[in-house]
Amino acid sequence: MPLSEFELIQRFFANSGTHRADVKLGVGDDCAVLNVSAGKELVVSIDTLVEGVHFLKGSDPQLLGHKSLAVNLSDLAAMGAEPAWATLALTLPSVDEKWLEAFCQGFSGLAATHHVQLIGGDTTRGPLNISIQAHGFVDAGAALRRDGAQLGDLIYVTGTLGDAGLALQGAGHTNPSAFLQSRLDSPTPRLAEGQALVGLAHSAIDISDGLISDLGHICAASGVGATLHVEDLPCSQDVRAYIKASDDWLLPLSAGDDYELCFTVPPERQREVEQLAMSFECGLAKIGCIEPGPGIRCLAANGRQLKRLFPGYEHFSSEG
Ligand code: ADP
Ligand code: MG
């Protein structure tokens, strides 16, 4: 006999592992009741993953459980927030207990790592669709935002760029390395890094749509432009080998799904941020600076602008 909706919620979601003192009432009532400490601001974000759009039919449910929470926590990381709670709206074509068990394992594993409690949600029948809302805290007024970049700021990114894109590009043709595949399937939200940047970075964003696109959001929101030095882009061995063979800088510049942080820091705090970055397991790279004039200019090692390599790529430069 298939589980009723009530049984399904009880079995998979009512007790998903993490218990927080600030949850007065979690899964089970009409609403959750939550406590926000004085002096803190609540930071909220939602993301939806749709089968056939954001992931392939038949994708590993455990990885999906991880990734669907990870992409939300990445948004909190970009604000410098400390994560606390999540809600989960799940639309399922049928009640597949094996699938649900694996999904919950992936979700709960990452939730436990970051002390996130599942506090409610909704379960409906239909084409597979996973919608997660994540909630976190920042000290009042301290959130890292897209609109704070200032002229002269240095631009940094965590981790490496283009790995998820290369895994995706390889899918179906070649077997991506285990490293590339895990960068695509199992991204790591840079939460500790984001929190450490509070009070230091002028602006921040997480790279979900590609560096140029997401740095473009910082530039547009802040009313500035940027110059990047492509040789300074942090790339894994796999991506370096790919660029060497193809001369395709578009991969680290524009491929999405890496979930690294891009942020800007005033030059007088360069030493401080680079000192801090020694504690970042993922590493940190300085890739350019914020300048007047809209658009993002990409320079090669010889100082030449790369724009001719990207005809019609409007984000690169307002000049062309
Ligand atoms: P209602 O009809 O009031 O919306 P539901 O029957 O949808 O209530 O849900 C009952 C309880 O289970 C609620 O507390 C809801 O937040 C929780 N819940 C439902 N689906 C999920 C889910 N997928 N994950 C976590 N909590 C869920
Ligand atoms: Mg409901």
Side-chain angles (χ1 to χ4, degrees):
M1 261 241 310
L3 295 176
S4 71
E5 185 186 330
F6 176 79
E7 288 167 333
L8 185 152
I9 293 167
Q10 277 304 312
R11 171 142 166 222
F12 293 102
F13 305 116
N15 244 309
S16 70
T18 305
H19 294 275
R20 296 178 55 98
D22 52 14
V23 178
K24 284 185 75 177
L25 194 55
V27 169
D29 212 312
D30 290 314
C31 293
V33 181
L34 308 158
N35 184 31
V36 181
S37 304
K40 295 282 182 183
E41 284 171 343
L42 188 57
V43 178
V44 179
S45 171
I46 188 165
D47 262 308
T48 299
L49 274 73
V50 178
E51 185 177 74
V53 179
H54 301 98
F55 59 92
L56 297 171
K57 201 175 164 67
S59 290
D60 181 318
Q62 186 170 347
L63 294 173
L64 270 182
H66 173 102
K67 185 164 180 175
S68 51
L69 179 59
V71 301
N72 277 280
L73 296 184
S74 176
D75 284 323
L76 294 186
M79 304 300 288
E82 177 195 337
W85 314 310
T87 52
L88 166 64
L90 200 50
T91 304
L92 301 167
S94 62
V95 177
D96 177 341
E97 292 180 34
K98 263 209 166 112
W99 190 96
L100 276 162
E101 221 152 79
F103 178 86
C104 287
Q105 229 171 26
F107 181 98
S108 307
L110 185 63
T113 301
H114 296 291
H115 202 44
V116 171
Q117 183 170 344
L118 181 63
I119 50 147
D122 199 23
T123 309
T124 50
R125 192 180 288 263
L128 183 57
N129 189 307
I130 304 156
S131 206
I132 292 180
Q133 187 171 47
H135 313 71
F137 307 121
V138 289
D139 288 339
L144 300 175
R145 299 163 45 143
R146 299 178 178 190
D147 60 4
Q150 293 180 21
L151 296 183
D153 276 4
L154 305 172
I155 303 168
Y156 288 90
V157 286
T158 61
T160 52
L161 298 175
D163 299 321
L166 191 54
L168 210 53
Q169 204 164 308
H173 312 289
T174 54
N175 269 341
S177 68
F179 165 77
L180 290 180
Q181 196 62 48
S182 80
R183 292 278 288 153
L184 175 64
D185 291 338
S186 193
T188 304
R190 302 300 185 196
L191 284 155
E193 293 79 4
Q195 287 163 44
L197 291 168
V198 169
L200 191 53
H202 275 162
S203 67
I205 194 166
D206 70 318
I207 304 178
S208 51
D209 298 330
L211 174 65
I212 293 295
S213 170
D214 290 317
L215 176 59
H217 294 316
I218 286 186
C219 289
S222 305
V224 295
T227 289
L228 297 180
H229 300 273
V230 294
E231 299 283 344
D232 295 336
L233 297 178
C235 296
S236 63
Q237 274 185 0
D238 298 76
V239 169
R240 277 200 189 288
Y242 169 86
I243 292 172
K244 202 163 174 211
S246 65
D247 204 30
D248 175 15
W249 284 99
L250 259 187
L251 179 73
L253 282 168
S254 69
D257 254 8
D258 282 321
Y259 299 100
E260 295 299 342
L261 297 182
C262 175
F263 58 92
T264 76
V265 173
E268 62 273 18
R269 303 194 75 178
Q270 175 172 3
R271 270 171 68 119
E272 215 177 320
V273 76
E274 289 176 9
Q275 189 83 33
L276 176 72
M278 304 231 240
S279 68
F280 291 3
E281 237 171 70
C282 57
L284 185 69
K286 179 163 72 66
I287 59 167
C289 62
I290 295 294
E291 294 175 343
I296 298 174
R297 292 152 288 280
C298 295
L299 302 184
N302 60 10
R304 274 224 320 270
Q305 199 164 325
L306 291 192
K307 73 177 171 187
R308 270 186 305 124
L309 288 179
F310 314 109
Y313 208 88
E314 58 169 335
H315 284 297
F316 278 93
S317 169
S318 62
E319 298 143 38

